[in-house]
Amino acid sequence: DIQMTQSPSSMSASLGDTVTITCLASQDIGNYLSWYQQKPGKSPKLMIYGATNLEDGVPSRFSGSRSGSDYSLTINSLGYDDEGIYHCHQYYEYPNTFGAGTKLELK
Amino acid sequence: EVQLVESGGGLVQPGRSLKLSCAASGFTFSNYYMAWVRQAPKKGLEWVATISTSGSRTYYPDSVKGRFTISRDNAKSSLYLQMNSLKSEDTATYYCARQWGRQGYFDYWGQGVMVTVSS
């Protein structure tokens, strides 16, 4: 199975900051990588697909990038609405696997 | 508007069975792969099953293979998950999700339904 190593597991940032969350894939997954945001008690929401494509309706402050087997989600101009848990997901092959999640809190 | 509404969760004893349902609306159900994803309390997401548009192909991780069966009724725009021989580690919130193709991300999710396996 493909392992997705996500970091950090949690982070705290200030309003207006830029933050980056990363996922390292244990083997090649091409651009078959998506990112989800999950608020407490809610279902996940698709943010990024194909490693770099912004889902419709998602603010342009969110962006995805790839460098080799490293995938990153960057959030610019952090706002309170960005708090939550972020999950990466590889869908290159079955079984699909997720990262362990990153909890983002605002100071 | 795409809507996915799960039902059928609850408390069940280890070794018993439970069947989850997901009612879909707002899109042409038969055109999409569908999936179940679960999340144990305070844990990350785990993919559980995927089914092709016609239902002829299904995919499972080893953790549920042979115990869970995903199925669909395109005439009713409904997705199902039959869970047999339940274990305590199956305790989780189960989400129904629309999948974008055979090799696809999950673009819409239901609100989730809780399954608790305990004696």
Side-chain angles (χ1 to χ4, degrees), chain B residues 1 20 25 28 30 32 64 67 77 84 89 94 97-98 106:
Chain B
E1 178 194 6
L20 304 182
S25 61
T28 304
S30 59
Y32 288 87
V64 307
R67 299 189 300 122
S77 295
N84 298 332
E89 52 263 43
Y94 285 74
R98 192 176 82 169
F106 307 122

Side-chain angles (χ1 to χ4, degrees), chain A residues 1 32 34 36 38 41-46 49-50 55 85 87 89 91-100, chain B residues 33 37 39 43-47 50 59-62 95 99-112:
Chain A
D1 297 1
Y32 292 90
S34 57
Y36 304 86
Q38 188 177 26
K42 299 294 186 182
S43 55
K45 173 188 175 184
L46 176 67
Y49 63 93
E55 172 69 349
I85 299 175
H87 309 270
H89 160 230
Y91 49 97
Y92 177 75
E93 69 176 30
Y94 291 109
N96 281 195
T97 48
F98 290 86
Chain B
Y33 277 62
V37 178
Q39 186 171 35
K43 298 293 186 183
L45 299 169
E46 181 187 13
W47 167 74
T50 289
Y59 308 84
Y60 307 93
D62 287 345
Y95 297 101
Q99 182 170 326
W100 195 257
R102 191 196 74 82
Q103 238 176 331
Y105 50 88
F106 307 122
D107 61 349
Y108 286 93
W109 299 63
Q111 85 287 354

Side-chain angles (χ1 to χ4, degrees), chain B residues 9 30-31 38 51 57 85 92 95 107:
Chain B
S30 59
N31 286 353
R38 69 184 179 185
I51 189 167
R57 285 169 290 179
S85 304
Y95 297 101
D107 61 349

Side-chain angles (χ1 to χ4, degrees), chain A residues 10 18 34 48 59 67-68 84-85 104:
Chain A
S10 65
T18 294
S34 57
I48 300 282
S67 176
I85 299 175
L104 172 61

Side-chain angles (χ1 to χ4, degrees), chain A residues 23-100:
Chain A
C23 268
L24 173 66
S26 62
Q27 61 190 77
D28 177 46
I29 60 169
N31 286 332
Y32 292 90
L33 189 284
S34 57
W35 291 96
Y36 304 86
Q37 176 195 65
Q38 188 177 26
K39 301 285 183 84
K42 299 294 186 182
S43 55
K45 173 188 175 184
L46 176 67
M47 307 298 280
I48 300 282
Y49 63 93
T52 61
N53 299 294
L54 197 66
E55 172 69 349
D56 289 346
V58 174
S60 58
R61 303 183 290 103
F62 290 82
S63 62
S65 62
R66 172 193 176 189
S67 176
S69 295
D70 283 298
Y71 298 81
S72 297
L73 173 71
T74 297
I75 311 171
N76 295 311
S77 302
L78 205 60
Y80 286 111
D81 191 48
D82 299 331
E83 284 191 312
I85 299 175
Y86 291 84
H87 309 270
C88 66
H89 160 230
Q90 71 79 17
Y91 49 97
Y92 177 75
E93 69 176 30
Y94 291 109
N96 281 195
T97 48
F98 290 86

